Amino acid sequence: MKISEMSKRSGCSIQAIRYYEKEGLITAPARTEGNFRLYGSEEIERLSFINNCRALDLSLSEIKHLLELQSLPSTPCETVNVMIDDHLNVIETRLADLQKLQSSLRKLRPRCNSKRSIDQCGILEALSPNSNHSVSDG
Amino acid sequence: MKISEMSKRSGCSIQAIRYYEKEGLITAPARTEGNFRLYGSEEIERLSFINNCRALDLSLSEIKHLLELQSLPSTPCETVNVMIDDHLNVIETRLADLQKLQSSLRKLRPRCNSKRSIDQCGILEALSPNSNHSVSDG
DNA sequence: TTAAACTCTATAGTAACTATAGAGTCAAGT
DNA sequence: ACTTGACTCTATAGTTACTATAGAGTTTAA
Ligand SMILES: [Zn+2]
Ligand SMILES: [Zn+2]
Ligand SMILES: [Zn+2]
Ligand SMILES: [Zn+2]
């Protein structure tokens, strides 16, 4: 199978597949005489695995680590579990930050209605320093 | 005042200030004989404004637009209000995506406890294709 | 006068790709 | 045999908003 079929079957874009190869997440496949990449059906699994991990926003370096672990089947898997815990923490921190942002924006928005001029815009006023309606205020 | 004091007063890093100048968000200031940037106290306002906008995660291009509008004081401000609405929508979309991620990760995590080997890791199994415990399931 | 602290420009790096250019390959139809 | 279209190749630039660094010059204080 050539790269475009592999792309469809694994869910990874063609460029992503080539990129993963360059980054060492998958090994370079055989080539046709014309230098086209040629994959066997085994490789679908690995690329699909990568794709699943990306869907959880695991970084390529984390995924690489997981792939390395998979080649050591009898190792204890605690590293994996810890990685997911850590990753979840990162996501939750990001989530908390975004929620603060959302809250700030929701407070900011009603400072202005649609019928003012720029120099009377309550939003711009709140964004300006020396304002007692600061963005970061409770 | 030289750049490091401006940095402290505005909350922008020195590199960020130079970057904003290069990107045209602030105009190039006067220079000393020795070629050091020299700012007056007026410029604090503009940089603080930029900093406040960045705290809301507005992009530099959005901020640039806001700064341009500020030089047209009698224009209607609806553009500003719409920008905040749009930006809030972007943030809320991102938030919803992150919440899905969080939920997936929270479901994934308890598939494995600490005492298994890699080839029996419930997390790795769920991340693998052909698994009936897929990451994207319910 | 020399050392510390500051500033300058220019450049590389960040993450994970996407998009593009320019060239070659392959299969089908005429 | 020839051409067309679809596919693939490599290499490179672009994305965002900076941070970090190198190597050089400036300023200030001891
Ligand atoms: Zn992570
Ligand atoms: Zn307004
Ligand atoms: Zn925005
Ligand atoms: Zn496990």
Side-chain angles (χ1 to χ4, degrees):
Chain A
M1 135 185 45
K2 279 180 290 185
I3 199 167
S4 72
E5 191 178 349
M6 183 50 119
S7 167
K8 279 165 204 154
R9 295 216 197 171
S10 67
C12 303
S13 75
I14 291 177
Q15 289 106 314
I17 295 173
R18 294 200 273 240
Y19 181 69
Y20 297 154
E21 180 185 327
K22 202 177 66 166
E23 295 295 302
L25 278 84
I26 58 177
T27 59
R31 299 283 182 124
T32 65
E33 278 198 3
N35 201 33
F36 287 11
R37 287 175 181 80
L38 208 53
Y39 299 93
S41 53
E42 328 80 67
E43 343 247 344
I44 299 178
E45 262 191 69
R46 180 171 261 243
L47 273 167
S48 301
F49 177 83
I50 295 173
N51 200 43
N52 288 342
C53 290
R54 290 295 298 140
L56 295 177
D57 203 38
L58 290 166
S59 68
L60 295 194
S61 123
E62 286 168 325
I63 297 170
K64 205 168 178 179
H65 196 177
L66 289 179
L67 290 166
E68 284 161 9
L69 286 172
Q70 279 182 320
S71 65
L72 303 167
S74 56
T75 314
C77 77
E78 194 165 359
T79 318
V80 176
N81 307 350
V82 168
M83 184 191 291
I84 299 299
D85 282 338
D86 289 351
H87 188 66
L88 184 52
N89 282 335
V90 169
I91 298 293
E92 287 178 343
T93 301
R94 219 185 287 171
L95 206 44
D97 289 347
L98 265 189
Q99 272 158 353
K100 274 183 208 153
L101 219 55
Q102 183 192 38
S103 154
S104 298
L105 284 164
R106 283 189 172 166
K107 275 176 200 145
L108 179 64
R109 180 61 188 88
R111 288 197 183 283
C112 188
N113 58 44
S114 295
K115 305 296 176 187
R116 302 193 195 162
S117 57
I118 287 288
D119 56 354
Q120 294 179 324
C121 178
I123 290 173
L124 288 176
E125 197 204 337
L127 284 168
S128 296
N130 313 326
S131 150
N132 43 4
H133 305 287
S134 156
V135 167
S136 49
D137 282 0
Chain B
M1 135 184 48
K2 279 180 292 187
I3 199 167
S4 73
E5 192 178 348
M6 183 50 121
S7 168
K8 280 166 203 153
R9 295 216 196 171
S10 67
C12 304
S13 76
I14 291 177
Q15 289 106 314
I17 295 173
R18 293 199 274 241
Y19 182 68
Y20 297 156
E21 180 184 328
K22 202 177 66 164
E23 295 295 302
L25 279 84
I26 58 177
T27 58
R31 299 285 181 124
T32 66
E33 277 198 4
N35 201 34
F36 287 12
R37 288 175 182 79
L38 207 54
Y39 298 94
S41 54
E42 329 79 68
E43 342 248 344
I44 299 177
E45 261 192 68
R46 180 171 262 243
L47 274 167
S48 301
F49 176 84
I50 295 173
N51 200 43
N52 287 343
C53 291
R54 289 296 298 140
L56 294 177
D57 203 39
L58 290 166
S59 69
L60 294 194
S61 122
E62 286 168 325
I63 297 171
K64 204 170 180 179
H65 196 176
L66 289 180
L67 290 166
E68 285 162 8
L69 286 172
Q70 280 182 320
S71 65
L72 303 168
S74 56
T75 315
C77 76
E78 195 164 1
T79 319
V80 176
N81 308 349
V82 169
M83 184 190 292
I84 299 299
D85 282 337
D86 289 350
H87 189 66
L88 184 52
N89 282 335
V90 170
I91 298 293
E92 288 179 341
T93 302
R94 218 184 288 169
L95 206 44
D97 289 348
L98 266 188
Q99 271 159 354
K100 273 183 210 153
L101 220 55
Q102 182 193 37
S103 154
S104 297
L105 285 164
R106 284 189 172 165
K107 274 177 201 146
L108 178 63
R109 180 60 188 88
R111 288 198 183 283
C112 188
N113 57 45
S114 297
K115 307 294 176 189
R116 302 192 194 162
S117 57
I118 287 289
D119 56 355
Q120 293 179 324
C121 178
I123 291 174
L124 288 176
E125 197 204 339
L127 285 168
S128 297
N130 312 328
S131 151
N132 42 5
H133 305 287
S134 156
V135 167
S136 49
D137 281 359

